C-alpha cells in the first residue's frame, strides 16, 4: 500500500494506524529508505488484558467497515476489476458522508395490517 501512495499525495497524513501485524522493523526501514513521511503507530491491547476491550482507533475502523458493509453494492464482490471495486467503495463513503451532513427525518411507519383483519378477542367461558 505504501508503495502505491506517493509521498506528496497526502500532505496532511502523518500517522498511519495499524494492528500488531504492522509492528515491523522491516516496514520502518522501508519507509525511511523510500523517504515516506509516515509514522506507523501500532494499536494493540494492554499487556495482560484478555477480555474484549474496544480500542478507540481500531473501533473507528471497525465501525466504518460496518457502515460500508450495509451498502448493498459492497455486500459481495460484484466487481470484475479492482478499479471499479475501489470506485464503489468511494461512492459508498461519499453517500455515507452526505447522509451524515444532511440526515433525513424518519417518519413513523404504520404497522401493516391485512385488510379486514381484526384482533382476536379473548373469549370468556
Amino acid at each position: 500500500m505504501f508503495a502505491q501512495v506517493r509521498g506528496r499525495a497526502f500532505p496532511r497524513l502523518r500517522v498511519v494506524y495499524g494492528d500488531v501485524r504492522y509492528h515491523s522493523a522491516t516496514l520502518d526501514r522501508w519507509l525511511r529508505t523510500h523517504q515516506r513521511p509516515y509514522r506507523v503507530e501500532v494499536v494493540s491491547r494492554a499487556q495482560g488484558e484478555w477480555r474484549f476491550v474496544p480500542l478507540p482507533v481500531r473501533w473507528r475502523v471497525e465501525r466504518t467497515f460496518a457502515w460500508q458493509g450495509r451498502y448493498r453494492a459492497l455486500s459481495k464482490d460484484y466487481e470484475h476489476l479492482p478499479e471499479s471495486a475501489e470506485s464503489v467503495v468511494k461512492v459508498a463513503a461519499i453517500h455515507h458522508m452526505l447522509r451524515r451532513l444532511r440526515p433525513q427525518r424518519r417518519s413513523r411507519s404504520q404497522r401493516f395490517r391485512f385488510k379486514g383483519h381484526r384482533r382476536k378477542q379473548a373469549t370468556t367461558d
Side-chain angles (χ1 to χ4, degrees), residues 6 24 32 37-38 42 53 59 61 85 87-88 94 102-103 110 113 120-121:
R6 303 259 185 253
S24 165
R32 281 193 310 274
Y38 314 122
V42 176
V53 177
W59 194 254
V61 172
S87 298
V88 173
I94 290 169
R102 187 169 184 186
Q110 294 290 326
R113 293 196 179 144
K120 293 182 180 179
Q121 298 291 326

Side-chain angles (χ1 to χ4, degrees), residues 106-117:
R106 294 185 182 196
S107 62
R108 296 180 62 114
S109 64
Q110 294 290 326
R111 215 174 119 201
F112 176 75
R113 293 196 179 144
F114 289 105
K115 191 173 184 176
H117 178 73

Side-chain angles (χ1 to χ4, degrees), residues 30-96:
W30 187 92
L31 289 171
R32 281 193 310 274
T33 304
H34 290 86
Q35 299 177 350
R36 298 293 196 242
Y38 314 122
R39 184 181 83 232
V40 177
E41 190 169 313
V42 176
V43 180
S44 61
R45 259 191 301 219
Q47 190 100 19
E49 185 67 52
W50 55 273
R51 296 177 301 139
F52 172 75
V53 177
L55 303 170
V57 173
R58 287 176 61 182
W59 194 254
R60 284 184 227 142
V61 172
E62 295 297 327
R63 183 183 62 202
T64 303
F65 287 156
W67 284 334
Q68 288 185 343
R70 288 188 204 129
Y71 198 76
R72 184 175 178 152
L74 294 175
S75 64
K76 293 200 174 30
D77 192 14
Y78 295 114
E79 308 303 320
H80 294 288
L81 300 173
E83 292 83 11
S84 57
E86 181 182 350
S87 298
V88 173
V89 171
K90 287 180 182 179
V91 168
I94 290 169
H95 182 246
H96 178 73

